[in-house]
Amino acid sequence: MKLEKWLETLKESNKPTLEESIAHLGDIFPLLHKFKDTPQDPEWHAEGDVHIHTDMVLEELYNIFDSGQFVPTPDQRQILILSAILHDIAKPLVTVERDGRIKSPKHEIVGRDYLIFKLLELNLPDESYQQVINLVGYHQRPKLLVIKNEPDYKYFALAQHFNYELMYWLELADLRGRTCTDRDESIMFLDEY
């Protein structure tokens, strides 16, 4: 199936696996092929490497759709699926081991920068392009605003970059799609956002 047609199926009921997604997107985003080789810190991601985590995030996103918790428009569905696939795209570039811990500093911003030109190859509508770029680039910020008890103006400033409802559902799938001791607490922080 051609990429253009596959992208259109994301607007419907298609639930591509991560492997299927990599088969369609891997030539444009070669870092997808490195997910299996990119470890994550076992305290925050006991499930394993970036590939396993991203697959779990996709499954959680599909569970959200299937449960009726969020019924997206076709464009929103496509945006969320692409954002889930690409949300940790820069981890293969930035992941390091320091002080016995595995860290991926600034992977969101590096991911956003990595996608700016490559995502153009998908020929998405401008709004969809902007949403995917910003959902990837800011996906951990809502929870961090709450944890750091940031002032209101920072919430309003952040919300100007993306559809906050889409951010909520992406980050909920991201948090549910991991194995860690603070998952419920992190979801609570996201809900407070």
Side-chain angles (χ1 to χ4, degrees):
M1 180 185 309
K2 288 191 153 222
L3 176 61
E4 200 171 279
K5 184 171 178 152
W6 182 79
L7 287 169
E8 282 302 307
T9 69
L10 299 183
K11 293 181 176 185
E12 301 157 10
S13 59
N14 186 18
K15 297 179 193 172
T17 64
L18 183 56
E19 290 297 334
E20 180 186 346
S21 302
I22 291 171
H24 283 90
L25 299 171
D27 288 344
I28 297 170
F29 310 106
L31 289 177
L32 290 170
H33 296 291
K34 296 184 178 190
F35 278 11
K36 287 182 181 179
D37 301 322
T38 306
Q40 299 184 108
D41 193 89
E43 182 176 340
W44 310 116
H45 288 280
E47 72 277 1
D49 59 44
V50 176
H51 188 276
I52 293 168
H53 167 61
T54 304
D55 193 43
M56 290 173 67
V57 172
L58 270 177
E59 284 303 313
E60 288 297 333
L61 185 63
Y62 300 149
N63 289 340
I64 289 167
F65 295 161
D66 291 344
S67 71
Q69 288 177 278
F70 177 60
V71 180
T73 66
D75 286 339
Q76 289 174 330
R77 190 175 196 287
Q78 182 188 58
I79 289 165
L80 282 170
I81 292 171
L82 288 172
S83 297
I85 294 164
L86 299 170
H87 81 283
D88 283 343
I89 191 69
K91 281 191 174 181
L93 294 174
V94 301
T95 298
V96 294
E97 187 171 337
R98 273 193 223 136
D99 305 321
R101 303 295 304 267
I102 299 170
K103 300 178 181 187
S104 301
K106 300 184 181 185
H107 74 275
E108 309 95 322
I109 299 302
V110 175
R112 182 193 66 195
D113 293 348
Y114 173 83
L115 292 174
I116 285 176
F117 292 109
K118 290 183 177 294
L119 195 64
L120 290 171
E121 293 186 45
L122 300 186
N123 295 315
L124 299 171
D126 288 345
E127 176 65 20
S128 297
Y129 168 84
Q130 287 294 331
Q131 288 300 317
V132 173
I133 291 286
N134 288 324
L135 290 171
V136 169
Y138 297 104
H139 73 269
Q140 290 191 331
R141 298 290 290 278
K143 179 182 77 170
L144 292 175
L145 287 176
V146 176
I147 290 170
K148 293 180 178 183
N149 199 26
E150 296 286 2
D152 289 350
Y153 77 89
K154 289 198 176 185
Y155 288 79
F156 295 122
L158 183 62
Q160 293 177 23
H161 294 285
F162 50 74
N163 176 311
Y164 65 87
E165 186 175 31
L166 295 183
M167 177 61 82
Y168 174 81
W169 295 113
L170 173 65
E171 190 56 12
L172 183 61
D174 184 22
L175 292 170
R176 287 181 179 171
R178 68 178 68 197
T179 304
C180 59
T181 57
D182 71 338
R183 188 172 88 159
D184 291 339
E185 181 182 37
S186 293
I187 291 171
M188 180 191 70
F189 288 137
L190 178 62
D191 287 341
E192 285 181 28
Y193 168 79

